[in-house]
Short mmCIF file of all heavy atoms in Angstrom, two decimals:
data_model
loop_
_atom_site.label_atom_id
_atom_site.label_comp_id
_atom_site.label_asym_id
_atom_site.label_seq_id
_atom_site.Cartn_x
_atom_site.Cartn_y
_atom_site.Cartn_z
N PHE A 3 0.82 -1.21 0.00
CA PHE A 3 0.00 0.00 0.00
C PHE A 3 0.86 1.26 0.00
O PHE A 3 0.51 2.26 -0.64
CB PHE A 3 -0.94 -0.01 1.20
CG PHE A 3 -2.08 -0.97 1.05
CD1 PHE A 3 -2.06 -2.21 1.67
CD2 PHE A 3 -3.18 -0.63 0.28
CE1 PHE A 3 -3.11 -3.09 1.52
CE2 PHE A 3 -4.25 -1.51 0.12
CZ PHE A 3 -4.21 -2.75 0.74
N LEU A 4 1.99 1.22 0.72
CA LEU A 4 2.85 2.39 0.76
C LEU A 4 3.44 2.68 -0.62
O LEU A 4 3.45 3.82 -1.09
CB LEU A 4 3.98 2.19 1.77
CG LEU A 4 3.57 2.25 3.25
CD1 LEU A 4 4.77 1.97 4.14
CD2 LEU A 4 2.96 3.61 3.59
N VAL A 5 3.94 1.64 -1.28
CA VAL A 5 4.54 1.82 -2.60
C VAL A 5 3.47 2.21 -3.62
O VAL A 5 3.70 3.05 -4.50
CB VAL A 5 5.27 0.53 -3.03
CG1 VAL A 5 5.75 0.65 -4.47
CG2 VAL A 5 6.44 0.25 -2.11
N ALA A 6 2.27 1.63 -3.50
CA ALA A 6 1.20 1.95 -4.44
C ALA A 6 0.74 3.39 -4.29
O ALA A 6 0.18 3.97 -5.24
CB ALA A 6 0.02 1.01 -4.23
N SER A 7 0.95 3.98 -3.11
CA SER A 7 0.51 5.35 -2.88
C SER A 7 1.50 6.38 -3.43
O SER A 7 1.21 7.57 -3.42
CB SER A 7 0.32 5.59 -1.38
OG SER A 7 1.54 5.47 -0.69
N VAL A 8 2.66 5.92 -3.89
CA VAL A 8 3.68 6.81 -4.46
C VAL A 8 3.61 6.72 -5.97
O VAL A 8 3.55 5.64 -6.55
CB VAL A 8 5.09 6.42 -3.96
CG1 VAL A 8 6.14 7.31 -4.61
CG2 VAL A 8 5.16 6.51 -2.44
N ASP A 9 3.63 7.85 -6.61
CA ASP A 9 3.61 7.89 -8.07
C ASP A 9 4.80 7.11 -8.61
O ASP A 9 5.95 7.36 -8.26
CB ASP A 9 3.70 9.35 -8.54
CG ASP A 9 3.44 9.49 -10.04
OD1 ASP A 9 3.61 8.49 -10.77
OD2 ASP A 9 3.08 10.59 -10.47
N TYR A 10 4.53 6.14 -9.47
CA TYR A 10 5.59 5.27 -9.98
C TYR A 10 6.67 6.04 -10.74
O TYR A 10 7.80 5.59 -10.87
CB TYR A 10 4.99 4.20 -10.90
CG TYR A 10 4.49 4.73 -12.22
CD1 TYR A 10 5.32 4.77 -13.34
CD2 TYR A 10 3.18 5.19 -12.36
CE1 TYR A 10 4.87 5.24 -14.55
CE2 TYR A 10 2.73 5.67 -13.58
CZ TYR A 10 3.56 5.70 -14.66
OH TYR A 10 3.13 6.17 -15.86
N ARG A 11 6.30 7.24 -11.24
CA ARG A 11 7.27 8.02 -12.00
C ARG A 11 8.42 8.52 -11.13
O ARG A 11 9.50 8.83 -11.63
CB ARG A 11 6.57 9.18 -12.69
CG ARG A 11 5.70 8.73 -13.88
CD ARG A 11 4.85 9.84 -14.42
NE ARG A 11 3.83 10.25 -13.45
CZ ARG A 11 2.85 11.11 -13.74
NH1 ARG A 11 2.77 11.64 -14.96
NH2 ARG A 11 1.96 11.45 -12.82
N TYR A 12 8.20 8.59 -9.80
CA TYR A 12 9.30 8.95 -8.91
C TYR A 12 10.39 7.88 -8.95
O TYR A 12 11.58 8.17 -8.97
CB TYR A 12 8.79 9.12 -7.47
CG TYR A 12 7.98 10.37 -7.24
CD1 TYR A 12 6.82 10.33 -6.49
CD2 TYR A 12 8.38 11.59 -7.77
CE1 TYR A 12 6.06 11.47 -6.27
CE2 TYR A 12 7.63 12.74 -7.56
CZ TYR A 12 6.47 12.68 -6.81
OH TYR A 12 5.74 13.81 -6.59
N TRP A 13 9.95 6.62 -8.94
CA TRP A 13 10.93 5.52 -8.96
C TRP A 13 11.66 5.50 -10.30
O TRP A 13 12.87 5.27 -10.35
CB TRP A 13 10.22 4.19 -8.73
CG TRP A 13 9.47 4.13 -7.44
CD1 TRP A 13 8.11 4.09 -7.29
CD2 TRP A 13 10.01 4.09 -6.11
NE1 TRP A 13 7.77 4.05 -5.95
CE2 TRP A 13 8.92 4.04 -5.21
CE3 TRP A 13 11.31 4.11 -5.61
CZ2 TRP A 13 9.10 4.00 -3.83
CZ3 TRP A 13 11.49 4.07 -4.23
CH2 TRP A 13 10.39 4.01 -3.37
N LEU A 14 10.91 5.70 -11.38
CA LEU A 14 11.55 5.67 -12.69
C LEU A 14 12.55 6.81 -12.86
O LEU A 14 13.57 6.66 -13.53
CB LEU A 14 10.47 5.76 -13.79
CG LEU A 14 9.48 4.60 -13.86
CD1 LEU A 14 8.55 4.77 -15.05
CD2 LEU A 14 10.20 3.26 -13.95
N ALA A 15 12.27 7.96 -12.24
CA ALA A 15 13.19 9.10 -12.34
C ALA A 15 14.50 8.85 -11.63
O ALA A 15 15.52 9.46 -11.95
CB ALA A 15 12.52 10.35 -11.77
N LEU A 16 14.49 7.91 -10.68
CA LEU A 16 15.69 7.61 -9.89
C LEU A 16 16.41 6.36 -10.38
O LEU A 16 17.21 5.77 -9.65
CB LEU A 16 15.31 7.43 -8.41
CG LEU A 16 14.73 8.66 -7.71
CD1 LEU A 16 14.22 8.29 -6.32
CD2 LEU A 16 15.77 9.77 -7.61
N TYR A 17 16.12 5.94 -11.61
CA TYR A 17 16.63 4.64 -12.05
C TYR A 17 18.16 4.60 -12.09
O TYR A 17 18.77 3.55 -11.81
CB TYR A 17 16.03 4.26 -13.41
CG TYR A 17 16.62 4.98 -14.60
CD1 TYR A 17 17.60 4.38 -15.38
CD2 TYR A 17 16.19 6.26 -14.96
CE1 TYR A 17 18.13 5.02 -16.49
CE2 TYR A 17 16.72 6.90 -16.06
CZ TYR A 17 17.68 6.29 -16.81
OH TYR A 17 18.22 6.92 -17.91
N ARG A 18 18.82 5.71 -12.42
CA ARG A 18 20.28 5.70 -12.49
C ARG A 18 20.92 5.49 -11.10
O ARG A 18 21.75 4.58 -10.95
CB ARG A 18 20.78 6.99 -13.12
CG ARG A 18 20.62 7.06 -14.63
CD ARG A 18 21.42 8.20 -15.22
NE ARG A 18 21.29 8.26 -16.67
CZ ARG A 18 20.40 8.99 -17.31
NH1 ARG A 18 19.56 9.75 -16.63
NH2 ARG A 18 20.34 9.00 -18.64
N PRO A 19 20.60 6.31 -10.08
CA PRO A 19 21.20 6.06 -8.76
C PRO A 19 20.80 4.72 -8.16
O PRO A 19 21.59 4.08 -7.46
CB PRO A 19 20.70 7.24 -7.91
CG PRO A 19 19.55 7.81 -8.64
CD PRO A 19 19.80 7.56 -10.08
N ILE A 20 19.58 4.28 -8.44
CA ILE A 20 19.14 2.98 -7.93
C ILE A 20 19.97 1.87 -8.55
O ILE A 20 20.43 0.94 -7.87
CB ILE A 20 17.64 2.77 -8.21
CG1 ILE A 20 16.79 3.69 -7.33
CG2 ILE A 20 17.24 1.32 -7.96
CD1 ILE A 20 15.31 3.61 -7.63
N TYR A 21 20.17 1.95 -9.86
CA TYR A 21 20.96 0.94 -10.57
C TYR A 21 22.41 0.95 -10.09
O TYR A 21 23.00 -0.12 -9.82
CB TYR A 21 20.90 1.20 -12.07
CG TYR A 21 21.59 0.15 -12.91
CD1 TYR A 21 20.97 -1.06 -13.20
CD2 TYR A 21 22.87 0.37 -13.44
CE1 TYR A 21 21.60 -2.02 -13.97
CE2 TYR A 21 23.50 -0.57 -14.21
CZ TYR A 21 22.86 -1.77 -14.48
OH TYR A 21 23.49 -2.72 -15.24
N LEU A 22 22.99 2.14 -9.95
CA LEU A 22 24.36 2.26 -9.48
C LEU A 22 24.49 1.72 -8.06
O LEU A 22 25.46 1.01 -7.74
CB LEU A 22 24.80 3.72 -9.53
CG LEU A 22 26.22 4.02 -9.04
CD1 LEU A 22 27.25 3.28 -9.88
CD2 LEU A 22 26.49 5.52 -9.05
N GLY A 23 23.51 2.03 -7.21
CA GLY A 23 23.56 1.57 -5.82
C GLY A 23 23.55 0.05 -5.70
O GLY A 23 24.34 -0.53 -4.96
N ILE A 24 22.67 -0.61 -6.46
CA ILE A 24 22.59 -2.07 -6.35
C ILE A 24 23.83 -2.73 -6.93
O ILE A 24 24.29 -3.77 -6.44
CB ILE A 24 21.31 -2.61 -7.04
CG1 ILE A 24 21.02 -4.04 -6.54
CG2 ILE A 24 21.43 -2.60 -8.54
CD1 ILE A 24 20.73 -4.16 -5.09
N MET A 25 24.43 -2.11 -7.97
CA MET A 25 25.65 -2.67 -8.54
C MET A 25 26.80 -2.57 -7.53
O MET A 25 27.61 -3.50 -7.40
CB MET A 25 26.01 -1.95 -9.82
CG MET A 25 25.07 -2.24 -10.98
SD MET A 25 25.02 -3.99 -11.44
CE MET A 25 26.64 -4.20 -12.15
N ILE A 26 26.85 -1.47 -6.78
CA ILE A 26 27.89 -1.32 -5.75
C ILE A 26 27.70 -2.38 -4.66
O ILE A 26 28.66 -3.01 -4.20
CB ILE A 26 27.84 0.09 -5.14
CG1 ILE A 26 28.30 1.13 -6.17
CG2 ILE A 26 28.72 0.17 -3.89
CD1 ILE A 26 28.16 2.57 -5.70
N PHE A 27 26.45 -2.60 -4.26
CA PHE A 27 26.17 -3.63 -3.25
C PHE A 27 26.60 -5.00 -3.74
O PHE A 27 27.20 -5.79 -3.00
CB PHE A 27 24.67 -3.64 -2.92
CG PHE A 27 24.31 -2.74 -1.78
CD1 PHE A 27 23.52 -1.63 -1.98
CD2 PHE A 27 24.75 -3.02 -0.48
CE1 PHE A 27 23.19 -0.79 -0.93
CE2 PHE A 27 24.41 -2.20 0.57
CZ PHE A 27 23.63 -1.08 0.35
N LEU A 28 26.29 -5.33 -4.99
CA LEU A 28 26.62 -6.65 -5.52
C LEU A 28 28.12 -6.84 -5.66
O LEU A 28 28.64 -7.94 -5.41
CB LEU A 28 25.92 -6.86 -6.87
CG LEU A 28 24.39 -6.95 -6.82
CD1 LEU A 28 23.81 -7.00 -8.23
CD2 LEU A 28 23.95 -8.16 -6.02
N VAL A 29 28.83 -5.79 -6.07
CA VAL A 29 30.29 -5.88 -6.16
C VAL A 29 30.90 -6.04 -4.78
O VAL A 29 31.80 -6.87 -4.56
CB VAL A 29 30.86 -4.63 -6.87
CG1 VAL A 29 32.38 -4.61 -6.75
CG2 VAL A 29 30.44 -4.61 -8.33
N THR A 30 30.42 -5.26 -3.81
CA THR A 30 30.93 -5.35 -2.44
C THR A 30 30.65 -6.71 -1.83
O THR A 30 31.45 -7.25 -1.06
CB THR A 30 30.30 -4.25 -1.58
OG1 THR A 30 30.48 -2.99 -2.21
CG2 THR A 30 30.93 -4.23 -0.19
N LEU A 31 29.51 -7.29 -2.19
CA LEU A 31 29.12 -8.59 -1.64
C LEU A 31 30.14 -9.66 -1.96
O LEU A 31 30.37 -10.58 -1.17
CB LEU A 31 27.75 -8.99 -2.20
CG LEU A 31 27.13 -10.27 -1.65
CD1 LEU A 31 26.81 -10.12 -0.17
CD2 LEU A 31 25.87 -10.63 -2.43
N THR A 32 30.79 -9.54 -3.12
CA THR A 32 31.76 -10.55 -3.53
C THR A 32 32.92 -10.66 -2.55
O THR A 32 33.44 -11.76 -2.29
CB THR A 32 32.31 -10.21 -4.93
OG1 THR A 32 31.22 -10.09 -5.84
CG2 THR A 32 33.26 -11.28 -5.42
#
């Protein structure tokens, strides 16, 4: 419900930092 209450376009606008963040996590995990 919390995620559904947020305009999905906010998430799409942040796709670059989100992608970079998860890649850093996955590299660090190694």
